[in-house]
Structures are given as structure tokens and as C-alpha cells.
Coordinates of all heavy atoms in Angstrom, one line a residue:
M4 N -2.6 -29.6 3.6 CA -3.0 -28.4 4.1 C -4.5 -28.1 3.7 O -4.7 -28.2 2.6 CB -2.0 -27.2 3.5 CG -2.3 -25.9 4.1 SD -1.1 -24.6 3.8 CE -0.9 -24.7 2.1
G5 N -5.3 -27.8 4.7 CA -6.6 -27.5 4.4 C -7.0 -26.2 3.9 O -6.1 -25.3 3.7
I6 N -8.3 -25.9 3.9 CA -8.7 -24.6 3.3 C -8.4 -23.5 4.4 O -8.1 -22.4 3.9 CB -10.3 -24.7 3.1 CG1 -10.8 -23.5 2.5 CG2 -11.0 -24.9 4.4 CD1 -10.5 -23.5 1.0
I7 N -8.4 -23.8 5.7 CA -8.1 -22.8 6.6 C -6.5 -22.4 6.5 O -6.2 -21.2 6.5 CB -8.3 -23.2 8.0 CG1 -9.7 -23.6 8.3 CG2 -7.8 -22.2 9.0 CD1 -10.7 -22.3 8.0
G8 N -5.7 -23.3 6.0 CA -4.3 -23.2 5.9 C -4.1 -22.2 4.7 O -3.2 -21.4 4.7
W9 N -4.9 -22.5 3.6 CA -4.7 -21.7 2.5 C -5.2 -20.3 2.6 O -4.8 -19.4 2.1 CB -5.5 -22.3 1.3 CG -4.7 -23.3 0.5 CD1 -4.8 -24.7 0.7 CD2 -3.7 -23.2 -0.4 NE1 -3.9 -25.3 -0.1 CE2 -3.1 -24.4 -0.6 CE3 -3.0 -22.0 -0.8 CZ2 -2.1 -24.6 -1.7 CZ3 -2.1 -22.3 -1.7 CH2 -1.5 -23.5 -2.0
I10 N -6.2 -20.1 3.4 CA -6.7 -18.7 3.7 C -5.7 -18.0 4.5 O -5.5 -16.9 4.2 CB -8.1 -18.9 4.5 CG1 -9.1 -19.4 3.5 CG2 -8.5 -17.4 5.1 CD1 -10.5 -19.5 4.2
I11 N -5.1 -18.6 5.5 CA -4.0 -17.9 6.4 C -2.8 -17.6 5.4 O -2.2 -16.6 5.6 CB -3.6 -18.9 7.6 CG1 -4.7 -18.9 8.5 CG2 -2.3 -18.3 8.2 CD1 -4.5 -19.9 9.6
L12 N -2.4 -18.6 4.6 CA -1.3 -18.4 3.7 C -1.8 -17.1 2.7 O -0.9 -16.4 2.4 CB -1.1 -19.6 2.8 CG 0.0 -19.6 1.8 CD1 1.3 -19.3 2.4 CD2 0.0 -20.9 1.0
G13 N -3.0 -17.2 2.3 CA -3.4 -16.2 1.4 C -3.4 -14.7 2.1 O -3.0 -13.7 1.5
L14 N -3.8 -14.7 3.3 CA -3.6 -13.5 4.1 C -2.2 -12.9 4.2 O -1.9 -11.7 4.0 CB -4.3 -13.7 5.5 CG -5.7 -13.9 5.6 CD1 -6.1 -14.3 7.0 CD2 -6.5 -12.6 5.2
L15 N -1.3 -13.8 4.5 CA 0.1 -13.5 4.6 C 0.7 -13.1 3.3 O 1.4 -12.1 3.2 CB 0.9 -14.6 5.3 CG 0.6 -14.8 6.8 CD1 1.2 -16.1 7.2 CD2 0.8 -13.7 7.6
A16 N 0.3 -13.9 2.3 CA 0.9 -13.6 0.9 C 0.4 -12.2 0.4 O 1.1 -11.5 -0.3 CB 0.5 -14.7 -0.1
G17 N -0.9 -11.9 0.7 CA -1.4 -10.7 0.3 C -0.7 -9.5 0.9 O -0.4 -8.5 0.5
G18 N -0.4 -9.7 2.2 CA 0.3 -8.7 3.0 C 1.8 -8.5 2.5 O 2.2 -7.4 2.4
I19 N 2.4 -9.6 2.1 CA 3.7 -9.5 1.5 C 3.7 -8.9 0.2 O 4.5 -8.1 -0.2 CB 4.4 -10.8 1.4 CG1 4.7 -11.4 2.8 CG2 5.7 -10.9 0.6 CD1 5.1 -12.9 2.9
A20 N 2.7 -9.2 -0.7 CA 2.5 -8.5 -2.0 C 2.3 -7.0 -1.8 O 2.7 -6.2 -2.7 CB 1.4 -9.2 -2.8
K21 N 1.6 -6.7 -0.8 CA 1.3 -5.2 -0.5 C 2.5 -4.5 0.0 O 2.7 -3.3 -0.5 CB 0.2 -5.2 0.6 CG -0.1 -3.8 1.1 CD -0.9 -3.1 -0.1 CE -1.3 -1.7 0.5 NZ -1.5 -0.8 -0.7
V22 N 3.3 -5.2 0.6 CA 4.6 -4.6 1.0 C 5.6 -4.4 -0.3 O 6.2 -3.4 -0.5 CB 5.3 -5.4 2.1 CG1 6.9 -5.0 2.2 CG2 4.7 -5.4 3.4
L23 N 5.5 -5.4 -1.2 CA 6.4 -5.3 -2.3 C 5.7 -4.3 -3.4 O 6.6 -3.7 -4.1 CB 6.3 -6.7 -3.1 CG 7.0 -7.8 -2.4 CD1 6.9 -9.1 -3.1 CD2 8.5 -7.4 -2.2
L24 N 4.4 -4.0 -3.2 CA 3.9 -3.0 -4.2 C 3.0 -2.0 -3.3 O 1.8 -2.1 -3.2 CB 2.9 -3.8 -5.1 CG 2.4 -3.0 -6.3 CD1 3.4 -2.6 -7.2 CD2 1.4 -3.8 -7.1
P25 N 3.7 -1.1 -2.7 CA 3.0 -0.1 -1.9 C 2.1 0.9 -2.5 O 2.3 1.0 -3.8 CB 4.1 0.6 -1.1 CG 5.3 0.5 -2.0 CD 5.2 -0.8 -2.7
G26 N 1.3 1.5 -1.9 CA 0.4 2.4 -2.5 C -1.1 2.1 -2.1 O -1.4 1.3 -1.4
R27 N -2.0 3.0 -2.6 CA -3.3 2.8 -2.2 C -4.0 1.9 -3.2 O -3.8 2.0 -4.5 CB -4.0 4.2 -2.2 CG -3.3 5.1 -1.2 CD -4.2 6.3 -1.1 NE -5.0 6.2 0.0 CZ -6.0 7.1 0.3 NH1 -6.2 8.2 -0.5 NH2 -6.6 7.0 1.5
D28 N -4.7 1.0 -2.7 CA -5.4 0.0 -3.6 C -7.0 0.4 -3.7 O -7.5 0.9 -2.8 CB -5.4 -1.4 -3.0 CG -3.9 -1.9 -3.0 OD1 -3.2 -1.6 -4.0 OD2 -3.5 -2.5 -2.0
P29 N -7.5 0.0 -4.9 CA -9.0 0.3 -5.0 C -9.8 -0.4 -3.9 O -10.8 0.3 -3.5 CB -9.4 -0.3 -6.4 CG -8.1 -0.6 -7.0 CD -7.0 -0.7 -6.1
G30 N -9.5 -1.5 -3.4 CA -10.4 -2.2 -2.5 C -10.0 -1.9 -1.0 O -10.6 -2.4 -0.1
G31 N -8.9 -1.3 -0.8 CA -8.4 -1.0 0.7 C -7.9 -2.2 1.2 O -7.6 -3.2 0.6
L32 N -8.0 -2.2 2.6 CA -7.3 -3.5 3.3 C -8.1 -4.8 3.0 O -7.6 -5.7 2.8 CB -7.5 -3.1 4.8 CG -6.9 -4.2 5.7 CD1 -5.4 -4.4 5.4 CD2 -7.2 -3.8 7.0
I33 N -9.5 -4.7 3.1 CA -10.3 -5.9 2.8 C -10.1 -6.3 1.3 O -10.0 -7.5 1.1 CB -11.8 -5.6 3.1 CG1 -12.0 -5.3 4.6 CG2 -12.6 -6.8 2.7 CD1 -13.4 -4.9 5.0
G34 N -10.1 -5.5 0.4 CA -9.9 -5.9 -1.0 C -8.5 -6.6 -1.2 O -8.3 -7.5 -1.9
T35 N -7.5 -5.9 -0.5 CA -6.1 -6.5 -0.5 C -6.0 -7.8 0.1 O -5.5 -8.7 -0.5 CB -5.1 -5.6 0.0 OG1 -5.2 -4.2 -0.6 CG2 -3.7 -6.1 -0.1
T36 N -6.8 -8.1 1.1 CA -6.8 -9.3 1.9 C -7.4 -10.4 0.9 O -7.0 -11.6 0.7 CB -7.6 -9.2 3.1 OG1 -7.0 -8.2 4.0 CG2 -7.7 -10.5 3.9
L37 N -8.6 -10.0 0.3 CA -9.3 -11.0 -0.6 C -8.4 -11.3 -1.8 O -8.5 -12.5 -2.3 CB -10.7 -10.4 -1.0 CG -11.7 -10.3 0.2 CD1 -12.9 -9.6 -0.4 CD2 -12.0 -11.7 0.6
I38 N -7.7 -10.4 -2.3 CA -6.8 -10.6 -3.5 C -5.7 -11.5 -3.1 O -5.3 -12.4 -3.8 CB -6.2 -9.3 -4.0 CG1 -7.4 -8.4 -4.7 CG2 -5.1 -9.4 -4.9 CD1 -6.9 -6.9 -5.0
G39 N -5.2 -11.2 -1.8 CA -4.3 -12.2 -1.3 C -4.7 -13.7 -1.3 O -4.0 -14.6 -1.6
I40 N -5.9 -13.9 -0.8 CA -6.5 -15.3 -0.6 C -6.7 -15.9 -2.0 O -6.3 -16.9 -2.4 CB -7.8 -15.1 0.2 CG1 -7.5 -14.8 1.6 CG2 -8.4 -16.5 0.1 CD1 -8.6 -14.5 2.4
A41 N -7.2 -14.9 -2.9 CA -7.5 -15.5 -4.4 C -6.1 -15.8 -5.0 O -6.1 -16.7 -5.7 CB -8.3 -14.5 -5.1
G42 N -5.2 -14.9 -4.7 CA -3.8 -15.1 -5.4 C -3.2 -16.4 -4.8 O -2.5 -17.1 -5.7
A43 N -3.3 -16.8 -3.5 CA -2.7 -18.0 -3.0 C -3.4 -19.1 -3.7 O -2.7 -20.1 -4.1 CB -2.9 -18.0 -1.5
F44 N -4.7 -19.2 -3.9 CA -5.3 -20.4 -4.5 C -5.0 -20.3 -6.0 O -4.7 -21.3 -6.5 CB -6.9 -20.1 -4.4 CG -7.4 -20.5 -3.1 CD1 -7.9 -19.7 -2.2 CD2 -7.6 -21.9 -2.8 CE1 -8.4 -20.0 -0.9 CE2 -8.1 -22.3 -1.5 CZ -8.5 -21.3 -0.7
T45 N -5.0 -19.1 -6.7 CA -4.6 -19.2 -8.0 C -3.2 -19.5 -8.4 O -2.9 -20.4 -9.3 CB -4.8 -17.8 -8.7 OG1 -6.2 -17.4 -8.4 CG2 -4.5 -17.7 -10.1
G46 N -2.3 -19.0 -7.5 CA -0.8 -19.4 -7.6 C -0.6 -20.9 -7.4 O 0.1 -21.4 -8.1
G47 N -1.3 -21.3 -6.4 CA -1.1 -22.7 -6.1 C -1.6 -23.6 -7.2 O -1.0 -24.6 -7.6
W48 N -2.7 -23.3 -7.7 CA -3.4 -24.0 -8.8 C -2.5 -24.0 -10.1 O -2.3 -25.1 -10.7 CB -4.7 -23.5 -9.0 CG -5.5 -24.3 -10.2 CD1 -6.0 -25.6 -10.2 CD2 -5.6 -23.9 -11.5 NE1 -6.4 -25.8 -11.4 CE2 -6.2 -24.9 -12.2 CE3 -5.2 -22.7 -12.2 CZ2 -6.5 -24.7 -13.6 CZ3 -5.5 -22.6 -13.5 CH2 -6.1 -23.6 -14.2
L49 N -2.1 -22.8 -10.5 CA -1.3 -22.8 -11.6 C 0.1 -23.4 -11.5 O 0.6 -24.0 -12.5 CB -1.0 -21.2 -11.9 CG -2.2 -20.5 -12.4 CD1 -1.9 -19.0 -12.5 CD2 -2.6 -21.0 -13.8
S50 N 0.8 -23.4 -10.3 CA 1.9 -24.1 -10.0 C 1.7 -25.5 -10.2 O 2.5 -26.4 -10.7 CB 2.4 -23.8 -8.6 OG 3.5 -24.5 -8.4
A51 N 0.6 -26.1 -9.6 CA 0.2 -27.6 -9.7 C 0.0 -27.9 -11.1 O 0.3 -29.0 -11.7 CB -0.8 -28.0 -8.7
K52 N -0.7 -27.1 -11.8 CA -1.2 -27.5 -13.2 C -0.2 -27.4 -14.3 O 0.0 -28.3 -15.1 CB -2.4 -26.6 -13.5 CG -3.2 -27.0 -14.8 CD -4.0 -28.2 -14.5 CE -4.9 -28.3 -15.5 NZ -5.6 -29.7 -15.4
F53 N 0.5 -26.3 -14.2 CA 1.4 -26.0 -15.4 C 2.8 -26.2 -15.1 O 3.7 -26.5 -16.0 CB 1.3 -24.7 -15.9 CG -0.1 -24.3 -16.5 CD1 -1.0 -23.5 -15.8 CD2 -0.5 -24.9 -17.6 CE1 -2.3 -23.3 -16.2 CE2 -1.8 -24.7 -18.2 CZ -2.7 -24.0 -17.5
L54 N 3.3 -26.1 -13.9 CA 4.7 -26.4 -13.5 C 4.9 -27.8 -13.0 O 6.1 -28.1 -12.6 CB 5.1 -25.3 -12.5 CG 5.1 -23.9 -13.0 CD1 5.6 -23.0 -11.9 CD2 5.9 -23.7 -14.2
D55 N 4.0 -28.6 -13.0 CA 4.0 -29.9 -12.6 C 4.6 -30.0 -11.1 O 5.5 -30.8 -10.9 CB 4.8 -30.8 -13.6 CG 4.5 -32.3 -13.3 OD1 3.5 -32.7 -12.9 OD2 5.4 -33.1 -13.7
R56 N 4.1 -29.1 -10.4 CA 4.6 -29.1 -9.0 C 3.3 -29.4 -8.0 O 2.5 -28.6 -8.0 CB 5.1 -27.7 -8.7 CG 5.4 -27.4 -7.3 CD 6.9 -27.8 -6.9 NE 7.2 -27.3 -5.6 CZ 7.6 -28.1 -4.6 NH1 7.6 -29.2 -4.8 NH2 7.9 -27.5 -3.4
P57 N 3.4 -30.5 -7.4 CA 2.2 -31.0 -6.6 C 2.0 -30.1 -5.5 O 3.0 -29.4 -4.8 CB 2.4 -32.3 -6.2 CG 3.9 -32.6 -6.4 CD 4.4 -31.7 -7.4
I58 N 0.8 -29.8 -5.0 CA 0.6 -29.0 -3.9 C 1.0 -29.7 -2.6 O 0.5 -30.8 -2.5 CB -0.9 -28.6 -3.8 CG1 -1.3 -27.7 -5.0 CG2 -1.3 -27.8 -2.6 CD1 -2.7 -27.4 -5.2
Q59 N 1.8 -29.1 -1.8 CA 2.4 -29.9 -0.6 C 1.3 -29.7 0.6 O 0.5 -28.7 0.6 CB 3.7 -29.3 -0.3 CG 4.8 -29.3 -1.3 CD 5.2 -30.8 -1.5 OE1 5.3 -31.6 -0.6 NE2 5.4 -31.1 -2.9
N60 N 1.4 -30.7 1.4 CA 0.6 -30.6 2.5 C 1.3 -29.8 3.7 O 0.7 -29.6 4.7 CB 0.2 -32.0 3.1 CG -0.7 -32.7 2.2 OD1 -1.5 -32.1 1.6 ND2 -0.6 -34.0 2.1
D61 N 2.6 -29.5 3.5 CA 3.4 -28.8 4.5 C 3.1 -27.2 4.4 O 3.3 -26.7 3.2 CB 4.8 -29.1 4.4 CG 5.7 -28.5 5.5 OD1 5.1 -28.2 6.5 OD2 6.9 -28.5 5.2
F62 N 2.8 -26.6 5.4 CA 2.5 -25.1 5.4 C 3.8 -24.4 5.2 O 3.6 -23.3 4.5 CB 1.9 -24.7 6.7 CG 1.4 -23.2 6.7 CD1 0.3 -22.8 6.1 CD2 2.2 -22.3 7.5 CE1 -0.1 -21.5 6.1 CE2 1.8 -21.0 7.5 CZ 0.7 -20.6 6.8
F63 N 4.9 -24.8 5.5 CA 6.1 -24.1 5.4 C 7.0 -24.5 4.1 O 8.2 -24.5 4.1 CB 7.0 -24.2 6.6 CG 6.4 -23.6 7.7 CD1 5.7 -24.5 8.8 CD2 6.3 -22.2 7.9 CE1 5.1 -23.7 9.8 CE2 5.6 -21.6 9.0 CZ 5.0 -22.3 9.9
D64 N 6.3 -24.9 3.0 CA 7.0 -25.2 1.8 C 7.3 -24.0 1.0 O 6.4 -23.2 0.7 CB 6.1 -26.2 0.9 CG 6.8 -26.6 -0.3 OD1 8.0 -26.9 -0.4 OD2 6.1 -26.6 -1.4
L65 N 8.6 -23.9 0.7 CA 9.0 -22.6 0.0 C 8.4 -22.3 -1.3 O 8.0 -21.2 -1.6 CB 10.6 -22.5 -0.1 CG 11.2 -21.3 -0.5 CD1 10.8 -20.2 0.4 CD2 12.7 -21.4 -0.8
A66 N 8.2 -23.4 -2.1 CA 7.6 -23.3 -3.5 C 6.0 -22.8 -3.3 O 5.7 -22.0 -4.1 CB 7.7 -24.6 -4.2
T67 N 5.4 -23.4 -2.3 CA 4.1 -23.0 -2.1 C 4.0 -21.5 -1.7 O 3.0 -20.8 -2.2 CB 3.4 -23.8 -0.9 OG1 3.5 -25.2 -1.4 CG2 2.0 -23.5 -0.7
W68 N 4.8 -21.0 -0.8 CA 4.7 -19.6 -0.5 C 5.2 -18.8 -1.6 O 4.5 -17.8 -1.9 CB 5.8 -19.4 0.6 CG 5.3 -19.7 2.0 CD1 5.3 -20.9 2.6 CD2 4.6 -18.8 2.9 NE1 4.6 -20.8 3.8 CE2 4.2 -19.5 4.0 CE3 4.3 -17.4 2.7 CZ2 3.6 -18.9 5.1 CZ3 3.7 -16.9 3.7 CH2 3.2 -17.6 4.9
G69 N 6.1 -19.2 -2.5 CA 6.5 -18.4 -3.7 C 5.3 -18.2 -4.7 O 5.1 -17.2 -5.2
S70 N 4.7 -19.4 -4.9 CA 3.6 -19.3 -5.8 C 2.4 -18.5 -5.3 O 1.8 -17.8 -5.9 CB 3.1 -20.7 -6.2 OG 2.5 -21.4 -5.1
A71 N 2.1 -18.6 -4.0 CA 1.1 -17.8 -3.3 C 1.4 -16.3 -3.4 O 0.6 -15.4 -3.7 CB 0.9 -18.3 -1.9
I72 N 2.6 -15.9 -3.2 CA 3.0 -14.5 -3.1 C 3.0 -14.0 -4.5 O 2.5 -12.9 -4.8 CB 4.4 -14.3 -2.6 CG1 4.3 -14.6 -0.9 CG2 4.9 -12.9 -2.8 CD1 5.6 -14.7 -0.3
A73 N 3.5 -14.9 -5.5 CA 3.4 -14.5 -7.0 C 2.0 -14.2 -7.4 O 1.8 -13.2 -8.1 CB 4.3 -15.4 -7.8
G74 N 1.3 -15.2 -7.1 CA -0.2 -15.1 -7.5 C -0.8 -13.8 -6.9 O -1.6 -13.1 -7.6
S75 N -0.6 -13.5 -5.6 CA -1.2 -12.3 -4.9 C -0.6 -11.0 -5.6 O -1.4 -10.1 -6.0 CB -0.8 -12.3 -3.5 OG -1.4 -13.4 -2.8
F76 N 0.7 -11.1 -5.9 CA 1.2 -9.9 -6.6 C 0.7 -9.6 -7.9 O 0.3 -8.5 -8.3 CB 2.7 -10.1 -6.7 CG 3.5 -9.0 -7.2 CD1 3.9 -7.9 -6.3 CD2 4.0 -8.8 -8.5 CE1 4.5 -6.7 -6.8 CE2 4.7 -7.7 -9.0 CZ 5.0 -6.8 -8.2
V77 N 0.4 -10.7 -8.7 CA -0.1 -10.5 -10.1 C -1.6 -10.1 -10.0 O -1.9 -9.2 -10.8 CB 0.0 -11.8 -10.9 CG1 -0.8 -11.8 -12.1 CG2 1.5 -12.2 -11.3
L78 N -2.3 -10.6 -9.2 CA -3.7 -10.2 -9.1 C -3.7 -8.7 -8.4 O -4.7 -7.9 -8.9 CB -4.4 -11.0 -8.1 CG -4.9 -12.4 -8.7 CD1 -5.6 -13.3 -7.7 CD2 -5.7 -12.3 -9.9
L79 N -2.8 -8.4 -7.6 CA -2.8 -7.0 -7.1 C -2.6 -6.0 -8.2 O -3.2 -4.9 -8.3 CB -1.9 -6.8 -6.0 CG -1.8 -5.5 -5.2 CD1 -3.1 -5.2 -4.7 CD2 -0.8 -5.5 -4.1
V80 N -1.6 -6.3 -9.1 CA -1.2 -5.4 -10.3 C -2.4 -5.4 -11.2 O -2.7 -4.3 -11.6 CB 0.1 -6.0 -11.0 CG1 0.3 -5.3 -12.3 CG2 1.3 -5.7 -10.0
A81 N -3.0 -6.5 -11.5 CA -4.2 -6.7 -12.4 C -5.3 -5.7 -11.8 O -6.0 -5.1 -12.7 CB -4.6 -8.1 -12.6
C82 N -5.6 -5.8 -10.5 CA -6.7 -5.0 -10.1 C -6.4 -3.5 -10.1 O -7.2 -2.7 -10.3 CB -7.0 -5.4 -8.6 SG -7.9 -6.9 -8.5
R83 N -5.1 -3.1 -9.8 CA -4.7 -1.7 -10.1 C -4.8 -1.3 -11.4 O -5.2 -0.1 -11.8 CB -3.3 -1.5 -9.5 CG -3.2 -1.5 -8.0 CD -1.8 -1.1 -7.6 NE -1.7 -1.1 -6.1 CZ -0.5 -0.7 -5.5 NH1 0.4 -0.4 -6.1 NH2 -0.7 -0.8 -4.2
L84 N -4.5 -2.1 -12.4 CA -4.6 -1.8 -13.8 C -6.1 -1.7 -14.2 O -6.5 -0.7 -15.0 CB -3.8 -2.8 -14.7 CG -2.3 -2.8 -14.6 CD1 -1.8 -3.9 -15.3 CD2 -1.9 -1.5 -15.1
L85 N -7.0 -2.5 -13.7 CA -8.3 -2.4 -14.1 C -9.1 -1.3 -13.5 O -10.0 -0.7 -14.0 CB -8.9 -3.8 -13.8 CG -8.6 -4.9 -14.7 CD1 -9.1 -6.2 -14.3 CD2 -8.9 -4.7 -16.2
F86 N -8.9 -1.2 -12.1 CA -9.8 -0.3 -11.4 C -8.9 1.0 -10.9 O -9.6 1.8 -10.1 CB -10.3 -1.0 -10.1 CG -11.0 -2.3 -10.5 CD1 -10.5 -3.5 -10.1 CD2 -12.2 -2.3 -11.1 CE1 -11.2 -4.6 -10.4 CE2 -12.9 -3.3 -11.4 CZ -12.4 -4.6 -11.1
G87 N -7.8 1.2 -11.2 CA -7.0 2.3 -10.8 C -6.4 2.2 -9.5 O -6.7 1.2 -8.7
N88 N -5.3 3.0 -9.3 CA -4.6 2.7 -8.0 C -4.8 3.8 -6.9 O -4.1 3.8 -6.0 CB -3.1 2.7 -8.5 CG -2.5 4.0 -8.9 OD1 -3.3 4.9 -9.1 ND2 -1.3 4.1 -9.2
S89 N -5.9 4.5 -7.0 CA -6.2 5.4 -5.9 C -7.7 5.4 -5.8 O -8.5 5.2 -6.7 CB -5.8 6.8 -6.2 OG -6.6 7.5 -6.9
R90 N -8.0 5.5 -4.5 CA -9.5 5.5 -4.1 C -9.9 6.9 -3.5 O -9.0 7.6 -3.0 CB -9.8 4.4 -3.3 CG -8.9 4.5 -2.0 CD -9.1 3.4 -1.2 NE -8.2 3.6 0.1 CZ -8.0 2.8 1.0 NH1 -8.7 1.8 1.2 NH2 -7.1 3.2 1.9
N91 N -11.1 7.1 -3.7 CA -11.5 8.5 -3.2 C -12.2 8.3 -1.8 O -12.9 7.5 -1.5 CB -12.4 9.1 -4.1 CG -11.7 9.5 -5.4 OD1 -10.6 9.7 -5.4 ND2 -12.5 9.4 -6.5

């Protein structure tokens, strides 16, 4: 899976993380999207590095989706803790 696949996966993972954790985010829609992309990359890297799970080339691998969503969720929670959960 190439960089475009990871970006698409990140967009979808960010959306799923946003559904799991509703509310207003400090960065709005664009911030949540970027958090989703960063979470997909971070989750995939951590999964490959520490769980000894190689990154699959298949877009529909369940473990890849799980790690991307988990990474997006963790980054979304971290951003809310650091920057507050409401915007003006």
C-alpha cells in the first residue's frame, strides 16, 4: 500500500475515531483529518515496530485498520487534553 493508500486510510480512520469520540475538537474538521492521517501512520509504525506485525500491502487488512483507528483515537484524545476540547 502506497502513501496515497495510507492517506485515505488515515482520513477514514480519523472519521471513525471522531465518531467514537464525538464533540468539538480544537482543530475542527481539518485538524481532525490531519490527526487521522498522523494516527494511521503512527499506529501502523507502532504496530510494526513493537507488536512485530509487518505492515501489509493489502488495504483491507483488519489489523492495519485497527492500528490506524487506535492511533487516530489516541492522537485525538491527546490533542483534546493538550489544547482543550472546545473551540471559540
